[in-house]
Amino acid sequence: MTSATGTPAYRRLSVEARRAQLLDAALSLFAHRAPEEVSLDDVAEAAGVSRPLVYRYFPGGKQQLYEAALRTAADDLEQCFAEPPEGPLTARLSRALDRYLAFVDQHDTGFAALLQGGSVVETSRTTAIVDGVRRAAAEHILDHLAVDEPGPRLRMTVRMWITAVEAASLIWLDEDKQPPLDELRDGLVEQFMAVLTAAAGRDAQTADVVRAALALETPDGPAGGLARRVLPVVSDAAHLL
Amino acid sequence: MTSATGTPAYRRLSVEARRAQLLDAALSLFAHRAPEEVSLDDVAEAAGVSRPLVYRYFPGGKQQLYEAALRTAADDLEQCFAEPPEGPLTARLSRALDRYLAFVDQHDTGFAALLQGGSVVETSRTTAIVDGVRRAAAEHILDHLAVDEPGPRLRMTVRMWITAVEAASLIWLDEDKQPPLDELRDGLVEQFMAVLTAAAGRDAQTADVVRAALALETPDGPAGGLARRVLPVVSDAAHLL
């Protein structure tokens, strides 16, 4: 950054604003490169500041900067599943997944490096941050299911689905972002309805949740489409009833 | 170990047998303690040998021993999903899951430490070994589905379910091994049938797989039970059709 008079000009920023600027630069770099491939010089250059300035804010160096950037990303990610408790469940889930998948799309390399493990910057602290995101997502979804005290089967079903969504995200990145995002999203919503319905067969609380959810669904929504597409596939299985 | 004359007597073992004995001792220790809490002295003591002997076989110390023990465990785990291609799909999956869940039960602490990440012994190599197990399990299951060239949707569905099974195993360990193993297994088999059926709504190959699988299922098997339990839950949703 060069001012009109040709001298390097660091904008004067408050401590908080400077910190946010450095984190923003770091996050952009960590989003598209493996942590091993990002240096503090890169961060300084991307933020248009000197390396000593980066160290002044993050004396722990790259590890501290990485964890702080991850914390910022985790805060964003946790908000993906926050959604007003209105309308059909599948519509809410679709909107939440749109936000989540947009995040995955925007932070592709960093997201994969973080979740695939074995990275040099992975510590029990980074693992705890990622687990915090998973827990927050599960709580948001349980809120959408509107049960006061979710039992172990409902909780396990939700947590299993969240892990499956993560796996799908990694596979999607690995397969050059195929299928298109809206198709991936619809498939994930349908998987959720499917596992919830299967669990309902064994758990009265989950059965109540499914009945209440289906009552709000419409024929032209995801649950209606799923029901109509699946019926012909299972219609030959009357011998099981 | 002490011989009849009172002198310490290491049994004479071949190189391979000694290595196997040390790995066996290490695996028992790593199964029930976090890697951080296992020392080479512990391994030497458990195997009834001296610490220098352990180092002679594993000059890389604990990290090398851990990776070798993990490799051995991974070989066992990969075999869990190998199953003769006979009988209903749900019966084969149930037997495979029985073996897998018995492994989880027997290696509880080590299994959790390995998969939860952030461990001091986690490296890109240990991550690669774990990924290898996931891939092998997916290939076994795709074999059971008897498709020559599984397409991306079928592959993704299987891989998502495997990740969900892992998540369920960790939750099960975290919740003091509740519910009982056979209930957990049945729930996981039902989740597989549910996600496969949902995916069949969007993919002709998966639809063929589901039709072929359901044709072999019996009313008293898992698929029959699932169908009968789920029908009453969804019977009020005729407005979606």
Side-chain angles (χ1 to χ4, degrees):
Chain A
M1 192 191 300
T2 308
S3 75
T5 59
T7 54
Y10 293 170
R11 270 192 300 147
R12 291 218 182 161
L13 295 176
S14 69
V15 169
E16 269 316 293
R18 178 66 78 193
R19 191 182 140 85
Q21 180 211 13
L22 294 178
L23 281 179
D24 195 44
L27 201 53
S28 302
L29 292 171
F30 285 126
H32 300 299
R33 291 192 226 162
E36 299 78 287
E37 289 163 13
V38 177
S39 71
L40 280 193
D41 280 332
D42 296 331
V43 175
E45 191 187 332
V49 303
S50 68
R51 186 185 160 97
L53 184 70
V54 179
Y55 264 107
R56 203 182 315 150
Y57 279 78
F58 299 97
K62 190 163 92 172
Q63 186 69 31
Q64 190 191 1
L65 187 58
Y66 181 78
E67 289 181 17
L70 178 58
R71 183 65 265 164
T72 304
D75 290 341
D76 290 349
L77 207 42
E78 288 182 10
Q79 288 314 305
C80 289
F81 287 88
E83 174 72 29
E86 288 152 20
L89 178 63
T90 56
R92 296 188 221 170
L93 266 188
S94 296
R95 287 191 294 268
L97 281 172
D98 277 340
R99 287 188 290 266
Y100 172 81
L101 294 172
F103 181 97
V104 174
D105 192 17
Q106 284 156 23
H107 299 79
D108 39 26
T109 309
F111 182 86
L114 179 65
L115 290 183
Q116 272 159 355
S119 162
V120 290
V121 292
E122 187 180 352
T123 64
S124 55
R125 281 190 304 277
T126 61
T127 304
I129 293 174
V130 175
D131 276 343
V133 174
R134 290 182 185 126
R135 265 196 303 278
E139 292 308 317
H140 278 302
I141 290 172
L142 289 166
D143 282 347
H144 289 302
L145 301 183
V147 279
D148 278 342
E149 295 193 11
R153 187 171 289 271
L154 192 53
R155 299 192 77 89
M156 190 186 268
T157 305
V158 168
R159 288 171 68 185
M160 284 172 69
W161 178 76
I162 286 171
T163 317
V165 168
E166 258 178 45
S169 307
L170 289 173
I171 294 168
W172 181 75
L173 291 176
D174 202 40
E175 300 198 337
D176 296 327
K177 305 193 174 179
Q178 285 301 315
L181 271 184
D182 55 345
E183 201 180 309
L184 178 64
R185 175 204 62 211
D186 290 346
L188 294 173
V189 170
E190 290 176 5
Q191 299 265 308
F192 185 72
M193 297 308 285
V195 293
L196 204 63
T197 304
R202 290 182 174 269
D203 183 59
Q205 184 182 48
T206 310
D208 288 343
V209 165
V210 170
R211 282 200 188 87
L214 290 181
L216 290 180
E217 295 289 330
T218 56
D220 56 340
L226 175 63
R228 285 193 304 277
R229 280 191 301 274
V230 160
L231 264 187
V233 179
V234 299
S235 60
D236 291 342
H239 65 285
L240 296 179
L241 298 179
Chain B
M1 192 191 299
T2 307
S3 74
T5 58
T7 55
Y10 291 169
R11 271 192 301 146
R12 289 219 184 162
L13 295 176
S14 70
V15 168
E16 269 316 294
R18 178 66 77 195
R19 192 183 139 85
Q21 180 211 14
L22 294 178
L23 280 179
D24 195 44
L27 201 53
S28 302
L29 292 170
F30 285 126
H32 299 300
R33 291 192 224 161
E36 299 76 290
E37 289 162 15
V38 177
S39 71
L40 281 193
D41 280 333
D42 296 332
V43 176
E45 191 187 331
V49 303
S50 68
R51 185 185 161 96
L53 184 70
V54 179
Y55 262 108
R56 203 182 315 149
Y57 278 78
F58 298 97
K62 189 163 91 171
Q63 186 69 32
Q64 190 191 1
L65 187 58
Y66 180 79
E67 289 182 18
L70 178 58
R71 183 66 264 164
T72 304
D75 290 341
D76 290 349
L77 206 42
E78 287 182 10
Q79 288 313 306
C80 289
F81 286 89
E83 173 72 30
E86 289 151 19
L89 177 63
T90 56
R92 296 187 221 170
L93 266 188
S94 296
R95 288 191 294 267
L97 281 171
D98 277 340
R99 287 189 289 266
Y100 173 81
L101 294 172
F103 181 97
V104 174
D105 191 16
Q106 284 155 24
H107 300 79
D108 39 24
T109 308
F111 183 85
L114 178 65
L115 290 183
Q116 271 158 357
S119 161
V120 290
V121 291
E122 186 180 353
T123 64
S124 54
R125 281 189 304 277
T126 62
T127 304
I129 293 173
V130 174
D131 277 342
V133 173
R134 290 182 186 128
R135 264 196 304 277
E139 292 308 317
H140 278 302
I141 291 173
L142 287 167
D143 282 347
H144 289 302
L145 302 183
V147 278
D148 278 343
E149 294 192 12
R153 188 172 288 272
L154 191 52
R155 299 193 76 90
M156 189 187 268
T157 305
V158 168
R159 289 170 68 185
M160 285 173 68
W161 178 76
I162 287 170
T163 317
V165 168
E166 258 179 44
S169 306
L170 289 174
I171 295 168
W172 181 74
L173 291 175
D174 201 41
E175 299 198 338
D176 297 326
K177 305 192 174 179
Q178 284 303 315
L181 272 184
D182 55 346
E183 202 179 308
L184 179 63
R185 174 204 61 210
D186 291 346
L188 294 174
V189 170
E190 291 176 4
Q191 298 264 307
F192 185 71
M193 296 309 284
V195 293
L196 204 62
T197 304
R202 289 182 174 268
D203 183 59
Q205 184 183 50
T206 309
D208 288 343
V209 164
V210 170
R211 282 199 187 89
L214 290 181
L216 290 178
E217 296 288 329
T218 57
D220 57 341
L226 175 64
R228 285 193 304 276
R229 282 192 299 276
V230 161
L231 265 187
V233 179
V234 299
S235 61
D236 290 343
H239 65 285
L240 296 180
L241 299 178

